[in-house]
Amino acid sequence: MKTTRNTTAKTTILEIIKHSDVALSHTEIQTLSNNICDRVTIYRVLDRLVGEDVIHKIVNLDGTIKYASCHHAHNEVEHTHNHIHFSCEKCHAVTCLDTVEPTFKMPSNYLVKAVNFTLSGLCPSCL
Amino acid sequence: MKTTRNTTAKTTILEIIKHSDVALSHTEIQTLSNNICDRVTIYRVLDRLVGEDVIHKIVNLDGTIKYASCHHAHNEVEHTHNHIHFSCEKCHAVTCLDTVEPTFKMPSNYLVKAVNFTLSGLCPSCL
DNA sequence: ATAATTAATGCAACAATGTTGCGATATATA
DNA sequence: TATATATCGCAACATTGTTGCATTAATTAT
């Protein structure tokens, strides 16, 4: 059976993500970690953390991939990431708006499994 | 004054995008065009077409960039791309759902300028 | 505490995607 | 038909992400 181990790289990366109030890209994490480990290791740690459902992956409006920690209780029955992300076009920060729930009606011949709702504009700091 | 010219590459690429009922990536366009021009030219033509507001750029759920033609009347006063895109996880087709309008309420301290709403799941063909 | 197991890492090499500079070409205009 | 310049092709480069494999280190068993 395949277990998961808590390594220094994993702990450090998770701390960086948890302490950030915006979603971070692989490159940003690498810079913030002060090259504590190899570039490849960061990719693998991020994959592991996403798999463990500790962080989640966000696709930014410009196509860049960002990561943010999950704020939900882990024992939640229905666990989705269907909340809104906001991408500031000035400071490029990506924030999760957990409270805002988008509503929409789809044609019945589609089966919707996941939602990615990203808004862009100016965040409170840049307004 | 900087004018725009209609070249064979531009015409061909636009035709490909217009005749497709799903959004296409750079690579898909390159394949469909049968290598009529250089890889770089496709990037530049796509940028131009987006700038001319003839096609629009979509960021897929997996981060890949797709392009689709704009179906709206060009003399529309308020012209936004704030409609929903659907990304099928089986056939990977990305379609524009022009009719479906998402609704949501944002905290007032944000200035929303653009909306990117992408759903994923199974499209009617794969359901 | 020590040894054994194997998850995780570092490194190198590779692949895919996108960008830039510049001389050559082709399109629109005079 | 000649001219100006937008566009193209090519080469070279940058960024981002992936894979294989030998080495290291975290966990478990002794």
Side-chain angles (χ1 to χ4, degrees), chain B residues 18-72:
Chain B
K18 272 188 176 169
H19 289 147
S20 173
D21 55 344
V22 298
L24 300 170
S25 68
H26 169 272
T27 312
E28 289 164 339
I29 292 169
Q30 187 178 8
T31 307
L32 289 170
S33 73
N34 239 67
N35 287 48
I36 197 179
C37 64
D38 194 74
R39 211 168 57 85
V40 179
T41 301
I42 299 181
Y43 281 114
R44 297 201 260 230
V45 166
L46 289 173
D47 281 348
R48 238 180 300 151
L49 289 172
V50 169
E52 292 169 15
D53 215 24
V54 179
I55 64 174
H56 65 279
K57 198 173 179 174
I58 306 167
V59 177
N60 202 358
L61 271 186
D62 56 7
T64 56
I65 310 272
K66 302 255 181 177
Y67 297 89
S69 59
C70 298
H71 301 285
H72 56 79

Side-chain angles (χ1 to χ4, degrees), chain A residues 26-77:
Chain A
H26 169 273
T27 312
E28 289 164 339
I29 292 169
Q30 187 178 8
T31 306
L32 288 171
S33 74
N34 239 68
N35 288 47
I36 197 179
C37 65
D38 194 75
R39 212 167 56 84
V40 179
T41 301
I42 299 180
Y43 280 114
R44 297 200 258 232
V45 167
L46 289 173
D47 281 348
R48 238 180 300 150
L49 289 172
V50 169
E52 292 169 15
D53 214 23
V54 179
I55 63 174
H56 65 281
K57 199 174 179 174
I58 306 166
V59 177
N60 202 358
L61 273 186
D62 57 7
T64 56
I65 310 275
K66 303 254 181 176
Y67 297 88
S69 59
C70 297
H71 301 284
H72 56 80
H74 205 276
N75 52 2
E76 233 171 89
V77 178

Side-chain angles (χ1 to χ4, degrees), chain B residues 46-110:
Chain B
L46 289 173
D47 281 348
R48 238 180 300 151
L49 289 172
V50 169
E52 292 169 15
D53 215 24
V54 179
I55 64 174
H56 65 279
K57 198 173 179 174
I58 306 167
V59 177
N60 202 358
L61 271 186
D62 56 7
T64 56
I65 310 272
K66 302 255 181 177
Y67 297 89
S69 59
C70 298
H71 301 285
H72 56 79
H74 204 277
N75 52 2
E76 231 172 274
V77 178
E78 196 128 8
H79 171 213
T80 56
H81 294 299
N82 297 352
H83 51 270
I84 291 182
H85 296 120
F86 189 87
S87 169
C88 180
E89 63 186 25
K90 193 172 171 190
C91 68
H92 296 104
V94 176
T95 45
C96 298
L97 305 170
D98 299 275
T99 53
V100 184
E101 273 289 334
T103 56
F104 58 96
K105 46 185 183 306
M106 282 289 293
S108 57
N109 48 348
Y110 284 87

